[in-house]
Amino acid sequence: MATRGRVLIISADKTLIGEMTPSLAGREYEVLTSSGVREAALRLGTEQFAAVVFDQAKVTPQEREALLGIHSKQPTYALFLVENQASLSPVESLPLRRLNWPLPAGFVDQVRAVDRPIVFLCDQTLFATNALGMHLTQSGIQPIRMESTKGMIDFVRQQCEAMTPKPKSLKPKSLWERLGASGDTDVQEPVVLGKILIVQFPGSVQEAEALDGLLRQTVSMAICYYVSGADPVRAAAKAVKESFPASLMREQAGRVAGILAGATDEPGKKDGPKEKDRILLLDNYQPTLATLGQALMAAGYEVTTSMDGAEALKLAGKKGTFHLSIIGTAIAMAQQSGAELAQKLREFDPDLRIIFMVDRYPLQAALQGVSQVVELGLDDALLKPVEASRLIFSVQRAMERRHLLLENARLLKEVQTSNQQLEQINGFQKKFFAMVAHDVKNPLTAILGYAEVLGMRLKDQPGELKCAGHIHSAARTLNALISDLVDLAAIESGKLRVEIGALDLAAVANEVRSRIDVVAQQRKIALSLEMPPVLPALSGDPHRIGQVIQNLCTNAIQYTKEGGSVTVRIDVTPDWVTIGVRDTGIGISKEDLPRVFERFFQTQEAQAMRKAGFGLGLKIAREIVQMHGGEIGLDSQLGVGSLFYFTLPVKK
């Protein structure tokens, strides 16, 4: 069976392999496993893989470096690094590792217990909101914050030197001191300014890895992490697209299949990796960004903050970058007002939801901000200072509206696509039926004619006469089938010919009976006709009404076993004449009754009897009856029999 490619899982954890295999196999990837890096390295040198999943739970730093080195030299496959609590633990200096916000449970406790300098490279939003700093402070750790990486390495080196124990003095000790009477130790306590450093880092993960390499060359005991509030699955998908190693936590390993298949979190695509809703928070007051940004991230949103309107436009310059924007209408360093900024953001992305945060005073400005929400079709206006709970409620409502609008748009697109496909199918059917009418009907008429001529000339040759009879019978059956197709094509195009005139229903019914009585006798079925001695005057097409009666009678005979009966009954009321055909045949189930008059429909019981036909007779019969101003219906019970009937209006 053809596959999308092969995926190599480097892990000794059978549980992890068991969790990943179904989703990968469901995406048509072949799964292979390797318990060690050395074996995997040999396979990577000789075999082709779509992706490699590397479990970092129980590997040495050297093994990790080796695998990263192989991938950097030959990035022909997607590399996923699966992190867990053990691989993230800051117990030794390892190459840069990625942390997602919020931090894993128990991670801060490990940080508190380590006597190494630890650097957290934070994205702009986490740094602006001070979410990481507040979290560490609440856990009893006092971090140092740096606005940029300039001077960071020298600062860490100084911190490391301060943390290194040094002798008190190099002068010889006295006898008393050597005997320990002084009570002093040989070393003095280090003076530590702070071992945890939070640095604002606007660069990419790859730039962070380069900075981490320089840091560890200078301070070998330093530990560095890249911390981001971005959705980890989306970040991993972006890394794979750019041919860089992608990091995922242990519980997210099942998303690898979706990332490889290019799945997204669009409405209707339920099998894609679920992304966080992305919010752009824009305001000119730093404490507002910090407080509201922390609250939104704690609520599970991916937040990007900015104090500059021009920067916000640059960040949101691509459709789908953000799902919602929260704008403080008084924007610092902006060349346009909050309303103008909202309009430009909507030009970039019409699906973007927007919430205004309006200054409470002066009152005129507050009223103007609220009125602009209505004028521009925005989602909400909140008066400052904005409570976090009130903002989150407004955000939830706006995101629900966004998802609903997108889902409606998706469904509308699906309906339009389906309609186009149906139009193409219907167009093909009409052309096909027209071709049958013109290109098949004529030669078939010739076959019927020549078969009749052969029958007359072969009267004295029984064997050949029998063959000519079979030809004529088969041609008649085929002619009836094609006639149904021709009639259906005429119905579909609105060109079915019905010539209304005086209708002698008794003569039509008797003529139909005479035609089908032979078939009924051959099948040992009793065929009877019941009608009053005098029928009222009717208007209609004798040929078409005869076609309806014959169709109902033929169906009744076909689906009635030998020894059964078929009765044609005509009843008269002052306004209507009802023609009914009752049989003791196989009947129709309640589930199939609503579909009997659909084109090409045949019940399972009818299909099992393998009778010739397209399932068009009842569809055509209904159209003919309705063109005469009547209606057609049925009563049936499975295994008992059926009654098909239609009405014709009495001529006044």
Side-chain angles (χ1 to χ4, degrees), residues 246-309:
S247 296
L248 288 173
M249 291 302 295
R250 170 69 168 74
E251 58 270 19
Q252 297 161 343
R255 303 291 184 87
V256 169
I259 294 173
L260 286 176
T264 60
D265 189 33
E266 297 176 6
K269 295 189 176 181
K270 300 179 181 179
D271 54 354
K274 177 66 177 176
E275 295 182 2
K276 295 180 180 179
D277 290 322
R278 300 186 292 278
I279 296 176
L280 173 62
L281 178 59
L282 183 62
D283 196 75
N284 60 350
Y285 189 46
Q286 178 62 40
T288 297
L289 293 180
T291 303
L292 298 182
Q294 287 185 39
L296 290 168
M297 286 191 292
Y301 297 102
E302 180 182 332
V303 182
T304 300
T305 61
S306 177
M307 297 178 65
D308 187 343

Side-chain angles (χ1 to χ4, degrees), residues 69-176:
I70 294 173
H71 181 262
S72 64
K73 293 178 181 177
Q74 194 177 12
T76 56
Y77 53 88
L79 177 60
F80 293 89
L81 306 177
V82 178
E83 308 272 10
N84 55 25
Q85 193 67 41
S87 63
L88 291 174
S89 178
V91 294
E92 56 182 322
S93 181
L94 294 172
L96 180 79
R97 283 157 290 174
R98 181 188 178 98
L99 283 172
N100 298 308
W101 183 259
L103 299 180
F107 177 78
V108 175
D109 295 331
Q110 295 178 333
V111 171
R112 189 188 300 109
V114 173
D115 290 330
R116 292 171 176 264
I118 301 177
V119 177
F120 293 103
L121 301 177
C122 288
D123 64 22
Q124 288 178 292
T125 298
L126 275 179
F127 190 85
T129 59
N130 196 25
L132 177 58
M134 293 288 291
H135 184 62
L136 294 176
T137 301
Q138 292 170 0
S139 302
I141 300 173
Q142 294 299 325
I144 298 174
R145 286 166 55 89
M146 294 185 67
E147 295 283 345
S148 72
T149 58
K150 185 177 181 180
M152 182 196 76
I153 294 179
D154 289 338
F155 182 84
V156 174
R157 179 177 53 78
Q158 294 171 7
Q159 294 297 90
C160 187
E161 292 174 355
M163 294 171 63
T164 303
K166 297 180 180 178
K168 260 186 176 183
S169 175
L170 297 178
K171 66 180 181 178
K173 296 181 180 180
S174 65
L175 177 62
W176 183 256

Side-chain angles (χ1 to χ4, degrees), residues 236-533:
K238 183 175 183 293
V240 168
K241 186 176 180 180
E242 297 173 352
S243 300
F244 291 115
S247 296
L248 288 173
M249 291 302 295
R250 170 69 168 74
E251 58 270 19
Q252 297 161 343
R255 303 291 184 87
V256 169
I259 294 173
L260 286 176
T264 60
D265 189 33
E266 297 176 6
K269 295 189 176 181
K270 300 179 181 179
D271 54 354
K274 177 66 177 176
E275 295 182 2
K276 295 180 180 179
D277 290 322
R278 300 186 292 278
I279 296 176
L280 173 62
L281 178 59
L282 183 62
D283 196 75
N284 60 350
Y285 189 46
Q286 178 62 40
T288 297
L289 293 180
T291 303
L292 298 182
Q294 287 185 39
L296 290 168
M297 286 191 292
Y301 297 102
E302 180 182 332
V303 182
T304 300
T305 61
S306 177
M307 297 178 65
D308 187 343
E311 180 187 34
L313 288 175
K314 185 177 180 181
L315 289 171
K318 183 180 179 182
K319 180 178 172 62
T321 303
F322 298 102
H323 302 142
L324 180 143
S325 179
I326 304 168
I327 302 175
T329 52
I331 307 299
M333 297 178 290
Q335 301 297 321
Q336 57 275 318
S337 65
E340 292 171 338
L341 185 61
Q343 288 178 318
K344 289 186 177 181
L345 289 173
R346 277 281 174 84
E347 290 175 3
F348 293 148
D349 188 352
D351 298 323
L352 181 71
R353 311 318 306 165
I354 299 177
I355 296 173
F356 269 1
M357 296 189 298
V358 182
D359 288 334
R360 193 178 296 268
Y361 302 104
L363 183 59
Q364 185 63 31
L367 292 174
Q368 181 183 5
V370 173
S371 64
Q372 286 175 339
V373 170
V374 179
E375 293 172 5
L376 301 175
L378 308 184
D379 292 270
D380 204 353
L382 306 177
L383 295 178
K384 293 182 178 180
V386 178
E387 293 184 2
S389 59
R390 177 65 179 86
L391 176 63
I392 290 174
F393 173 77
S394 182
V395 167
Q396 290 173 342
R397 188 170 59 180
M399 293 308 303
E400 287 174 359
R401 183 182 181 190
R402 180 180 189 274
H403 293 316
L404 180 61
L405 291 173
L406 289 177
E407 180 67 8
N408 288 342
R410 184 188 67 82
L411 293 174
L412 177 61
K413 185 177 180 180
E414 284 188 357
V415 170
Q416 291 173 340
T417 301
S418 298
N419 288 340
Q420 291 175 354
Q421 293 174 345
L422 288 174
E423 288 177 1
Q424 292 175 352
I425 293 172
N426 288 335
F428 169 77
Q429 288 180 348
K430 290 177 180 178
K431 291 180 181 178
F432 174 76
F433 294 156
M435 179 272 293
V436 169
H438 293 88
D439 299 342
V440 178
K441 191 77 171 175
N442 291 336
L444 185 59
T445 302
I447 293 174
L448 280 169
Y450 285 122
E452 291 177 358
V453 172
L454 285 174
M456 290 186 292
R457 293 188 176 185
L458 297 174
K459 290 182 179 180
D460 299 331
Q461 303 179 36
E464 288 79 357
L465 179 62
K466 185 177 182 181
C467 292
H470 288 322
I471 293 173
H472 190 267
S473 176
R476 287 182 60 187
T477 301
L478 184 58
N479 187 56
L481 295 175
I482 292 175
S483 295
D484 284 347
L485 290 178
V486 172
D487 285 344
L488 180 62
I491 291 171
E492 296 287 345
S493 61
K495 297 179 180 179
L496 183 66
R497 292 183 59 185
V498 175
E499 298 178 359
I500 303 297
L503 174 61
D504 186 349
L505 183 59
V508 171
N510 281 301
E511 183 182 354
V512 170
R513 179 187 178 183
S514 65
R515 286 201 299 265
I516 63 175
D517 191 43
V518 177
V519 179
Q521 292 178 9
Q522 291 175 346
R523 294 180 55 82
K524 299 179 181 179
I525 294 173
L527 176 63
S528 60
L529 173 61
E530 301 175 1
M531 61 180 175

